């Protein structure tokens, strides 16, 4: 159950309200990587989690994200408030000024409505935890950009707190994923097809306009990697030579990819 304690998790102070900045802050209120999305993603994942210990973590962090929503909403409201009565401020965002009276609503910084489509919930704990680690990384970088665009010490202070907590959560989710003891590339229960799984399709040729080489690196060379010429390109070349498409020969697009 939820219980409202009538104080913020972190004190919010704003010197001079900045409606433009308040608008940017809405990205963390009703945006794709914002606090509502985080709160809902972890809490709903928690409802689906059959592992009582990790469920406890998901619900704890989901609850903290609700407290973050309260902080960022309070902060955004302080910056947006002048929009209600001040014409110049209202022009920053007519939607917020005219429809919302200078208040926060579940929109992102562009006025797009929050949507449950932002949430990544698969019902598979390790897959969910990977989504959560990525979500925290996105939230962190958005806070960092907001900090860089503010010159109000009180605002920066609150954002620094929120940004730090996202790294804390990232550490917790990473440790929880590692504690499952699963192989990094083991997802679900059906194993991938041997050999095919180690093939890197070289789906480009030549050097790009920005100097992009046909690169080799740990993502396609060394270890068990096998570099395979792009299946489409190899088919094209064999057509030019007047030979038949390998797919036609063996009747299987999948098999042709291995050649
Ligand atoms: Mn948060
Ligand atoms: Mn977080």
């Amino acid at each position: 159950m939820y219980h409202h304690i009538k104080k913020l998790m972190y004190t919010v102070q704003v010197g001079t309200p900045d409606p433009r900045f308040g608008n940017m802050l809405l990205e963390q209120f009703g945006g794709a990587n914002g606090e509502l999305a985080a709160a809902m993603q972890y809490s709903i994942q928690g409802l689906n989690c059959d592992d009582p210990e990790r469920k406890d973590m998901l619900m704890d962090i989901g609850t903290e994200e609700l407290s973050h929503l309260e902080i960022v909403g309070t902060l955004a409201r302080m910056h947006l408030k002048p929009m209600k009565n001040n014409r110049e401020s209202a022009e920053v965002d007519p939607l917020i000024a005219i429809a919302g009276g200078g208040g926060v609503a579940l929109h992102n910084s562009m006025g797009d409505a929050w949507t449950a489509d932002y949430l990544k919930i698969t019902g598979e704990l390790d897959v969910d935890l990977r989504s959560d680690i990525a979500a925290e990384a996105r939230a962190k970088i958005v806070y960092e950009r907001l900090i860089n665009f503010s010159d109000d010490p009180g605002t920066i202070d609150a954002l620094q707190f929120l940004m730090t907590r996202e790294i804390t959560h990232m550490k917790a989710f990473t440790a929880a994923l590692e504690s499952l003891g699963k192989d990094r590339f083991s997802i679900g229960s059906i194993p991938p097809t041997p050999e095919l799984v180690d093939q890197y399709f070289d789906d480009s040729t030549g050097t790009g306009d920005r100097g992009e080489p046909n690169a080799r690196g740990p993502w396609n060379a060394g270890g068990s990697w096998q570099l395979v010429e792009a299946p489409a390109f190899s088919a094209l070349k064999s057509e030019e030579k007047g030979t038949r498409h390998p797919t036609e020969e063996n009747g299987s697009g999948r098999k042709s990819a291995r050649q």
Side-chain angles (χ1 to χ4, degrees):
M1 72 178 76
Y2 290 95
H3 183 92
H4 187 225
I5 296 169
K6 287 170 276 187
K7 60 196 282 256
L8 291 174
M9 189 186 178
Y10 195 85
T11 313
V12 174
Q13 275 155 350
V14 168
T16 309
D18 178 348
R20 272 181 207 283
F21 190 72
N23 186 289
M24 291 185 203
L25 277 173
L26 291 179
E27 197 59 42
Q28 287 301 76
F29 190 69
N33 307 307
E35 300 294 356
L36 182 67
M40 291 300 107
Q41 179 161 306
Y42 311 151
S43 299
I44 308 303
Q45 286 176 354
L47 294 181
N48 295 330
C49 184
D50 296 324
D51 172 332
E53 291 166 331
R54 286 153 193 89
K55 174 177 183 158
D56 182 51
M57 178 203 63
L58 287 165
M59 298 309 279
D60 279 348
I61 299 179
T63 302
E64 181 177 341
E65 302 295 7
L66 272 182
S67 303
H68 292 182
L69 181 75
E70 192 183 22
I71 296 171
V72 81
T74 302
L75 190 62
R77 166 63 174 153
M78 288 165 122
H79 282 286
L80 295 173
K81 204 173 173 182
M83 283 190 185
K84 188 167 189 174
N85 300 310
N86 179 278
R87 167 67 192 253
E88 197 183 331
S89 299
E91 286 174 1
V92 168
D93 193 324
L95 175 74
I96 295 170
I98 308 301
V104 294
L106 288 170
H107 294 138
N108 68 10
S109 60
M110 297 297 288
D112 297 321
W114 187 85
T115 165
D117 284 344
Y118 291 151
L119 310 184
K120 305 294 175 223
I121 299 161
T122 67
E124 194 77 9
L125 182 59
D126 61 316
V127 177
D128 280 351
L129 288 170
R130 288 166 190 268
S131 296
D132 299 346
I133 293 163
E136 294 293 343
R138 292 192 298 267
K140 197 279 179 186
I141 202 67
V142 174
Y143 275 126
E144 182 171 310
R145 290 175 182 153
L146 286 167
I147 287 169
N148 287 337
F149 287 141
S150 177
D151 49 18
D152 179 66
T155 300
I156 292 170
D157 189 52
L159 294 176
Q160 174 73 29
F161 170 79
L162 292 167
M163 184 186 77
T164 299
R165 294 302 298 167
E166 311 307 15
I167 295 295
T168 307
H169 297 162
M170 203 175 169
K171 288 173 66 176
F173 289 137
T174 303
L177 177 62
E178 285 170 0
S179 72
L180 294 174
K182 290 192 74 173
D183 179 82
R184 280 167 76 201
F185 302 114
S186 164
I187 306 289
S189 52
I190 301 175
T193 305
E195 199 181 330
L196 177 64
V197 73
D198 290 325
Q199 292 181 349
Y200 179 92
F201 293 157
D202 187 13
D203 277 335
S204 60
T205 51
T207 300
D209 288 346
R210 301 272 186 279
E212 309 94 301
N214 221 21
R216 302 298 303 267
W219 55 88
N220 64 10
S224 56
W225 281 122
Q226 187 199 343
L227 194 75
V228 176
E229 189 172 79
F233 191 59
S234 108
L236 194 72
K237 282 213 302 201
S238 51
E239 273 170 29
E240 276 172 5
K241 284 184 200 155
T243 55
R244 293 179 71 211
H245 190 292
T247 307
E248 291 165 20
E249 283 162 21
N250 60 26
S252 160
R254 268 193 196 172
K255 281 183 180 163
S256 73
R258 293 188 197 172
Q259 293 174 3

